[in-house]
Amino acid sequence: MNEVINKKVNFIDLGPMDYQAAWDYQESLFDEIVKLKIANRKAELSEQKASKNHLLFVEHPHVYTLGKSGKQENLLLDEKGLAKHQAKFYKINRGGDITYHGPGQLVGYPILDLENFFTDIHKYLRFLEEAIIRTLADYDVEAGRIEGLTGVWLDHIKQQNPRKICAMGVKSSRWVTMHGFAFNLNANLEYFGHIVPCGIDDKAVTSLHLELGHQVDEAEAKEKVKKHLADLFEWEWV
């Protein structure tokens, strides 16, 4: 565990940003934390420095990303199809299968040193899910988990029409995380029709605005997600 604990988190709302640019930025923050941790292992306690934590919010142009355990055939568009829909495609280093990012979706990238909080990836994922579940409860939308599947689902109990509202996929190395969650607020679900979302072909996808019957104030939703994350992880904002 870290000898010097830091539970402060630097929040940055990147706004609209190309996926590759955001990925590169994530990587730079991730690498900085990992390098510091390696240096700390070799340093005397009095010389060790606290590792930083970051939370990035971003909205991407239309893009499909395939995790390292995913299958290419779950993307139903060829290069011409991608161009027609003004979408990009990336193979990336997170877990999980294929997912979509685009306008009207809140994408959250926590770049955390989990040794500042707890060393349990399953607990980490459950906390991310719980923050979204609590946010949806603020809108009187009941949501939860489906056993064996990551992310946040509606109709998760009876499962007569289970539908995913938030997808998740993370990477962790030396207990440092990157990638994160994609929460559909005002998302265009037509774009999910061009993939087998997360490799699951028997369940639907939804967006909060469709469940509520009106557009969602995205700034308000972001504040709710931030609050619930801070409550769960017991972190402080820088």
Side-chain angles (χ1 to χ4, degrees), residues 10 12 21-39 50-56 68 93-95 109-116 121 124 169-180:
N10 179 40
I12 305 173
W23 188 7
D24 291 344
Y25 185 46
Q26 277 193 86
E27 289 273 14
S28 69
L29 297 175
F30 177 90
D31 290 345
E32 178 184 326
I33 297 170
V34 170
K35 288 176 182 176
L36 176 64
K37 294 189 71 174
I38 292 171
S51 56
K52 294 181 180 179
N53 308 288
H54 307 275
L55 175 64
L56 310 179
K68 56 188 178 182
N93 58 357
R94 62 162 169 78
Y109 294 134
I111 300 127
L112 309 177
D113 181 358
L114 288 182
E115 287 193 294
N116 288 321
I121 289 296
Y124 172 64
V170 303
K171 172 190 173 181
S172 174
S173 177
R174 295 180 181 267
W175 295 113
V176 182
T177 66
M178 64 179 290
H179 301 298

Side-chain angles (χ1 to χ4, degrees), residues 2 4 6 11 14 36 63 69-70 93 111 146-147 154 205-206 222 225:
N2 292 356
V4 183
N6 174 32
F11 172 72
L14 298 171
L36 176 64
V63 63
S69 60
N93 58 357
I111 300 127
I146 294 179
E147 187 175 353
L154 306 190
V205 177
T206 191
K222 288 177 182 180
V225 173

Side-chain angles (χ1 to χ4, degrees), residues 48-154:
Q48 293 182 13
K49 299 178 181 179
S51 56
K52 294 181 180 179
N53 308 288
H54 307 275
L55 175 64
L56 310 179
F57 279 176
V58 65
E59 182 181 81
H60 293 306
H62 302 299
V63 63
Y64 297 103
T65 67
L66 183 67
K68 56 188 178 182
S69 60
K71 297 180 180 179
Q72 180 84 33
E73 56 264 33
N74 287 331
L75 174 64
L76 308 179
L77 295 174
D78 57 16
E79 289 188 11
K80 290 184 178 179
L82 288 168
K84 178 182 177 182
H85 291 89
Q86 298 181 315
K88 294 182 178 180
F89 170 69
Y90 294 97
K91 291 183 179 180
I92 62 175
N93 58 357
R94 62 162 169 78
D97 207 289
I98 197 162
T99 193
Y100 159 77
H101 299 313
Q105 185 183 71
L106 171 58
V107 177
Y109 294 134
I111 300 127
L112 309 177
D113 181 358
L114 288 182
E115 287 193 294
N116 288 321
F117 304 98
F118 49 76
T119 50
D120 186 330
I121 289 296
H122 292 288
K123 181 178 179 179
Y124 172 64
L125 284 167
R126 301 297 83 79
F127 271 23
L128 295 185
E129 291 167 346
E130 184 64 24
I132 304 303
I133 290 168
R134 293 185 183 187
T135 298
L136 289 165
D138 291 337
Y139 291 96
D140 295 322
V141 175
E142 183 179 1
R145 304 171 181 85
I146 294 179
E147 187 175 353
L149 302 175
T150 58
V152 177
W153 299 79
L154 306 190

Side-chain angles (χ1 to χ4, degrees), residues 193-225:
H194 305 306
I195 59 172
V196 180
C198 301
I200 302 168
D201 60 6
D202 62 344
K203 292 179 174 61
V205 177
T206 191
S207 180
L208 183 55
H209 78 290
L210 296 176
E211 301 296 329
L212 297 177
H214 59 78
Q215 290 292 109
V216 175
D217 182 330
E218 295 182 20
E220 177 184 72
K222 288 177 182 180
E223 289 303 312
K224 292 179 184 297
V225 173

